[in-house]
Amino acid sequence: MEESPRAVARRSRREDGDEPARGGPRPARDAALAAPAGSLWLYGQHAVAAALANPKRRIRRLLATTDAEEALAERLPRPWRVAAERVEKNRFQTFLTEDAVHQGIAVLADPLPSADLEDAITASDGPVLLLDQVTDPRNVGAILRSAAAFGVACVVMQDRNAPPETGALARTASGALETVPLAREVNLARTIQVLQKAGFWVMGLEGTATRTLAEAKPAAGSGRRSALVLGAEDTGLRRLQRETCDELVRLPIRSAMESLNVSAAATAALYELARNSEADES
C-alpha cells in the first residue's frame, strides 16, 4: 500500500532526526554516554550551536552524525572548543530521553550559573520577567525564546519549585537559554521589592484584574521600567507575590477562553511591552 503524504513526511522527519522514532524496543542504555553528575546533554542544532558559542558554558563533549556536523559548521564556523565525535544516528537513543528531538547532534555540558539580577538590569534596559512556580521545562524554554525575541533583560525563577536546566528546556528555548540571563532567586517577593527599589513598575498577570496591561504599563518616555510576574497555569500567582506587586493586570482575551498557556501569555504580554518601547523610540 502506498504511504500517505503525512506518513511519508513523518518518516522523513524521523530519518533526519527531527522526530523521535515510535514503536519497537528501545535500545539499551549506553553507560559510557550517561551524563556525569553535575552535567547534562543538550541537543538539537540551535541549542548546540548556541552552547558552543557561549563562553560561559563549559562544554565536555560534542557528538554528531556526519550530516549534523556539516549542518553545524554552516551555522557556526569552525574551530569549535571541542572536537566532534562521529556517531551513528541510532546511538542517540541510548543516552537521551525517548522523546528527545536531537537532529543527530548533542553536547555534554555543565549547567550555566545563575545570572546576577543587578548585573542583568544594568546591562540591558529591557523588562524583567518573573516566573512564580512555572514548573514545565518546555513552558520555561518557550518563555525564554520569547524573552530573547522581545529584549528581556532577565528571567527570574525560584531556586525551588522551578525546573532545573534540561535538554528539553534548552531545545524548546532554541538557543535563548545561552543569551537571556536566567536568575534563580530564593524569594520572589523579595526580588520584586529589589526591582521596585531599582525603579521598576512590577505588574502581576491575573485574569480577574481590573486594568489591562496596555492600560497599566509605564508610559513611553516616563523613565520607569516594567517587570511582569507570571504564575503557574493551575494556581496562578501566589498570595505573597500578588500582594507585593505594584498592580495586577490582565490580557484582554475573549470570555470564551478562560486563560492562556503561560508561555503564550508571556509572549502576548512581552509584545505589548515592546509596543511601548517602539513608541518611545519613534
Side-chain angles (χ1 to χ4, degrees):
M1 180 181 296
E2 185 178 355
E3 289 184 289
S4 69
R6 179 176 295 180
V8 171
R10 288 180 64 85
R11 177 170 55 79
S12 177
R13 288 197 297 270
R14 285 196 298 271
E15 291 172 354
D16 290 340
D18 290 335
E19 183 175 303
R22 302 183 186 278
R26 178 173 174 80
R29 303 298 290 177
D30 189 335
L33 292 176
S39 64
L40 72 158
W41 283 104
L42 305 175
Y43 50 82
Q45 285 284 343
H46 284 93
V48 168
L52 287 171
N54 183 5
K56 295 181 180 179
R57 173 76 76 175
R58 182 187 176 193
I59 304 295
R60 297 171 179 243
R61 300 178 71 178
L62 168 62
L63 272 58
T65 64
T66 302
D67 290 344
E69 184 177 350
E70 292 176 358
L72 177 65
E74 293 179 2
R75 185 185 300 273
L76 182 70
R78 295 180 177 89
W80 304 323
R81 286 184 284 158
V82 293
E85 303 173 47
R86 190 67 52 78
V87 295
E88 296 300 319
K89 189 180 302 177
N90 58 9
R91 195 175 182 191
F92 288 89
Q93 299 176 44
T94 68
F95 65 94
L96 297 178
T97 59
E98 188 173 2
D99 61 348
V101 184
H102 54 76
Q103 297 177 301
I105 193 164
V107 290
L108 182 63
D110 290 357
L112 289 169
S114 174
D116 183 89
L117 178 60
E118 184 176 351
D119 289 346
I121 62 177
T122 300
S124 168
D125 61 359
V128 171
L129 203 56
L130 300 97
L131 307 182
D132 184 17
Q133 295 194 332
V134 176
T135 57
D136 187 316
R138 288 179 173 82
N139 273 337
V140 174
I143 288 169
L144 284 169
R145 188 171 183 175
S146 294
F150 292 110
V152 167
C154 188
V155 173
V156 181
M157 299 192 303
Q158 286 181 290
D159 270 340
R160 301 175 61 184
N161 299 313
E165 189 175 317
T166 65
L169 189 158
R171 178 68 167 79
T172 309
S174 194
L177 180 61
E178 311 296 332
T179 60
V180 177
L182 180 60
R184 294 181 181 269
E185 302 288 346
V186 174
N187 188 306
L188 276 190
R190 189 174 301 126
T191 303
I192 291 172
Q193 293 172 340
V194 168
L195 290 170
Q196 288 167 334
K197 291 177 181 177
F200 282 78
W201 185 250
V202 183
M203 298 166 284
L205 214 55
E206 169 61 59
T208 61
T210 303
R211 295 214 295 169
T212 66
L213 174 60
E215 295 168 333
K217 67 185 182 181
S222 68
R224 172 162 279 188
R225 296 174 64 178
S226 298
L228 282 169
V229 190
L230 283 75
E233 288 184 52
D234 52 348
T235 58
L237 296 177
R238 289 176 296 160
R239 179 187 60 81
L240 192 55
Q241 275 62 257
R242 289 169 54 92
E243 294 176 353
T244 310
C245 287
D246 291 302
E247 185 173 6
L248 298 179
V249 299
R250 61 180 173 83
L251 295 174
I253 63 175
R254 300 288 181 88
S255 59
M257 184 58 62
E258 182 179 351
S259 64
L260 291 173
N261 169 280
V262 65
S263 62
T267 302
L270 291 173
Y271 171 75
E272 178 58 45
L273 293 180
R275 287 202 316 120
N276 193 51
S277 62
E278 289 292 329
D280 193 20
E281 290 175 5
S282 62

